[in-house]
Amino acid sequence: MDKLVINGGNTLHGKIDISGAKNAALAIVPAAILTCDVCRIENIPNISDVSIMFRILSELGASVRPIDANTVEIDSRNVQFFTVPYELTKHLRASYYFIGALLGRFGKARVAMPGGCNFGGVRPIDQHVKGFELLGSKVTIEENAIVNAVSDQLIGSAIYLDTVSVGATINIMLAAARAKGLTVIENAAKEPHIVDLANFLNTMGADIRGAGTDVIKIHGVSELHGCTYSIIPDQIEAGTYMVAAAAAGGDVLINNVIPKHLESITAKLVECGVEVEEFDESILIKSDGRPRHCNVKTMPHPGFPTDMQPQIAVLLSIAEGTSIINESVWDSRFRYVEQLTHMGASIKVDGKMAVIQGVEHLKGAPVKADDLRAGAAMVIAGLVASGTTEVENVVYIDRGYEDIVGKLRSVGADIQRVPIVDPDTRVRVS
Ligand code: EPZ
């Protein structure tokens, strides 16, 4: 295991290049099962969640050929297994996309219920199951929490999602792409990664319209062919570095972005008094003082992303005045607050609301990443705190941030990755 050691107080100056979008890649990689041709996927982020999805593909019989660190060729013609065991699905929630993909290609899938970040309570999949059943498949939950979905022929259907769900929208798209007839998903999620998946599938010959709106129409096609496709830049990685620059101070050009995807984050930073300048494919953040307080309510896209909530909380914890965060997507996504209070933040959490009393400074302390985005928030806190901050459970951060240490060091952060060694045996803790 490793930890990140951060000596805070440096302002940040320079350019950070954003990688491909994790949550688009996690949908597009399983989608490659839907064709017997080769799919060449470019700008894929080099992160552990994607590596696990590659491993699952290989276990199912596909060939996954790395071309370089961010390009892969997937050939699914020899996929002959339809079971994904808990041993693999426990690592990440997105493993359940293999249900929609295997169902869409073969009419059968046995995938263990997924793991993934814990935001309090169970992360249900009832809307996924509702979609699969409306498409004509029979879904049962077997022992060992295996979701077993079978169908002789998927038939297009009207599906109204009870709740806006990124995962259910994606899983239904994967299953419906080759179904017979028209599928209409209403109350669909509108995130950039939904649009990216639709564009990928359409590049393979699918007929999907309306992605990015709350009504997606999918005219099923019998075959899909291979393609070459480049994944969109990561909205949340970009937002994370925007907030890091705003909190640490300095001037940082965030490069390889789609500014439109970042509008809600930009608007909040401007509200906090941060200078933001947009260019075609980059955003310049300039900040030299304490941000102003502001209120945040997380919402499905195009609202402020829940995956940016821990990060903006760090900025608000050193803002002038009192800020309120309403987390409307997840039941309990404030576990990181305890770690922040160890650094001197003044935050009170009541259910899905956090009241943040801005303080002048945070102080370095040993903290840990409770989940992926909470881990990124601890890094930002370390950048702005006085003294040294050590962040443990870096494995969570590696799930979604390619080379976070290298990217931050390139703009002047004093951050390094060091192995954790057992004090008695001096052996690295695995
Ligand atoms: C995706 O999770 C993302 N993960 C999450 O990002 C993100 O927080 C979330 O969307 C919201 O944007 C990936 O894309 C891999 P949902 P997902 O289904 O699909 C409820 C990160 O940090 N719901 O949109 O699991 C659910 O409980 C990760 O990159 C049902 O009730 O989220 C939640 O309250 C963390 N029934 C709400 O909908 C269902 O069948 C939104 O969940 C499905 C969801």
Side-chain angles (χ1 to χ4, degrees), residues 262-326:
L262 303 168
E263 280 179 339
S264 61
I265 302 164
T266 297
K268 270 305 152 189
L269 291 181
V270 169
E271 206 180 318
C272 290
V274 177
E275 199 181 324
V276 184
E277 192 174 353
E278 284 186 7
F279 302 97
D280 285 348
E281 297 180 343
S282 55
I283 280 202
L284 178 64
I285 302 292
K286 284 186 179 174
S287 167
D288 56 9
R290 280 186 78 191
R292 284 197 299 270
H293 67 93
C294 76
N295 296 331
V296 176
K297 181 175 170 64
T298 66
M299 294 292 284
H301 193 76
F304 189 88
T306 174
D307 293 346
M308 281 299 303
Q309 188 255 91
Q311 299 92 311
I312 199 85
V314 176
L315 180 70
L316 298 176
S317 71
I318 55 168
E320 278 173 316
T322 301
S323 306
I324 295 174
I325 294 181
N326 269 299

Side-chain angles (χ1 to χ4, degrees), residues 142-166:
E142 296 176 349
E143 64 276 358
N144 299 329
I146 292 273
V147 178
N148 185 4
V150 289
S151 165
D152 296 333
Q153 170 62 58
L154 293 171
I155 308 289
S157 167
I159 300 167
Y160 196 101
L161 293 180
D162 302 342
T163 179
V164 175
S165 162
V166 167

Side-chain angles (χ1 to χ4, degrees), residues 22-23 26 93-94 96-97 119 123-128 163-167 191 193 306-307 329-330 333 372-373:
K22 167 178 90 79
N23 291 344
L26 295 181
R93 183 166 174 79
Y96 58 19
Y97 292 150
F119 298 139
R123 288 175 67 176
I125 64 164
D126 57 300
Q127 298 302 302
H128 301 239
T163 179
V164 175
S165 162
V166 167
E191 273 68 8
H193 27 294
T306 174
D307 293 346
V329 175
W330 297 107
R333 193 174 193 166
L372 163 59
R373 306 302 175 185

Side-chain angles (χ1 to χ4, degrees), residues 4 7 35 49 64 72 147 157 201 209 228 242 268 274 292 295 304 325 344 349-350 359 371 386 411:
L4 300 181
N7 293 311
T35 177
D49 269 11
V64 181
V72 71
V147 178
S157 167
L201 290 170
R209 302 170 205 183
T228 294
M242 288 167 70
K268 270 305 152 189
V274 177
R292 284 197 299 270
N295 296 331
F304 189 88
I325 294 181
V349 173
D350 179 8
V359 295
D371 61 61
S386 56
V411 291

